[in-house]
Amino acid sequence: QVQLVESGGGVVQPGGSLRLSCAASGFTFTTYGMHWVRQAPGKGLEWVAFIRYDGSNKYYADSVKGRFTISRDNSKNTLYLQMNSLRAEDTAVYYCARSGRNYYDRSGSDSAFDIWGQGTMVTVSS
Amino acid sequence: QSALTQPASVSGSPGQSITISCTGTSSDVGGYNYVSWYQQHPGKAPKLLIYDVTKRPSGVSNRFSASKSGNTASLTISGLQAEDEADYYCSSYTSSSTWVFGGGTKLTVL
């Protein structure tokens, strides 16, 4: 079945780095853009970053620009989020989500985050 | 990239209808038909309910409907059921080629 599975979360000190992974299965990963979305404890959803299906374009929230890097390895059906210079306010559950537009047949929509992973917790604390 | 504005909470009795608003600007909600809505139960990942302002993915109950007027989008849930109790989030594409979520609305079914 269509599935996204995040991994790589954990506890890291302020100023440290962490790399999250999101393994995709059950669909043609190479034809979909992908997002990272986070949710701080007890707070709402915050969009973090987006990468096009072919990795040609990447977009970031102002809160993470210059510190986080989104990337993908289409040969491994895997999405990544490299997080550097981590701050306490980066503490959150990080979700990967599929963008709803299929760039092969142009079906679906860029407005839809249609498949979500279960999330991985990142805690930034000394 | 300010969050879209949603009411913090709404409530309704079983069988009733409720509406959740989502207010943005002409640079996001008002500028594009790229508004979506999500339901999130405690400890779970969000679930897509509505995309492109009014479209429902297959498998989503037709009790969920949505619309947009100007810079404000709205989600309506009719025939409220106990299982509808959850947090609801709107989202919009923006003129900066980014996405923004609303602050979330907690729905209580009385």
Side-chain angles (χ1 to χ4, degrees):
Chain A
Q1 74 279 22
V2 175
Q3 194 173 10
L4 298 171
V5 178
E6 302 94 337
S7 60
V11 180
V12 61
Q13 292 187 339
S17 298
L18 209 56
R19 188 178 83 156
L20 306 183
S21 299
C22 168
S25 59
F27 66 97
T28 306
F29 182 70
T30 56
T31 62
Y32 289 89
M34 296 293 296
H35 297 271
W36 285 100
V37 177
R38 68 184 181 182
Q39 186 170 34
K43 302 298 185 181
L45 301 174
E46 180 187 13
W47 177 80
V48 173
F50 171 76
I51 185 168
R52 279 175 53 94
Y53 67 100
D54 56 0
S56 60
N57 292 91
K58 306 172 185 181
Y59 303 93
Y60 298 91
D62 287 345
S63 58
V64 306
K65 198 175 296 183
R67 300 187 299 122
F68 289 12
T69 301
I70 188 172
S71 63
R72 63 192 297 160
D73 186 336
N74 282 350
S75 69
K76 296 182 178 179
N77 288 349
T78 302
L79 174 73
Y80 301 101
L81 185 68
Q82 177 66 44
M83 303 186 295
N84 298 331
S85 302
L86 282 161
R87 306 166 180 167
E89 54 264 37
D90 296 318
T91 294
V93 174
Y94 284 74
Y95 295 100
C96 60
R98 190 181 80 172
S99 172
R101 180 175 296 280
N102 182 322
Y103 281 89
Y104 176 73
D105 61 13
R106 303 293 180 180
S107 64
S109 170
D110 285 314
S111 79
F113 296 63
D114 66 347
I115 305 296
W116 295 69
Q118 86 288 350
T120 187
M121 183 70 202
V122 172
T123 302
V124 184
S125 174
S126 55
Chain B
Q1 294 179 347
S2 299
L4 306 176
T5 300
Q6 296 181 232
S9 63
V10 298
S11 63
S13 299
Q16 288 186 332
S17 295
I18 63 95
T19 297
I20 299 170
S21 61
C22 169
T23 301
T25 70
S26 58
S27 296
D28 39 64
V29 174
Y32 305 90
N33 286 325
Y34 275 176
V35 176
S36 54
W37 290 90
Y38 303 85
Q39 177 190 61
Q40 186 181 35
H41 288 105
K44 301 295 188 180
K47 172 189 174 183
L48 176 66
L49 294 177
I50 298 285
Y51 68 98
D52 288 356
V53 180
T54 61
K55 298 177 182 176
R56 266 183 293 108
S58 61
V60 173
S61 171
N62 59 10
R63 297 187 300 105
F64 295 93
S65 63
S67 62
K68 188 185 84 168
S69 177
N71 296 337
T72 298
S74 300
L75 172 72
T76 297
I77 309 174
S78 58
L80 268 180
Q81 300 178 359
E83 59 261 36
D84 297 333
E85 186 161 294
D87 293 326
Y88 292 84
Y89 296 90
C90 61
S91 176
S92 175
Y93 180 71
T94 84
S95 59
S96 302
S97 299
T98 61
W99 283 258
V100 61
F101 282 93
T105 298
K106 180 177 180 60
L107 169 61
T108 300
V109 180
L110 302 172

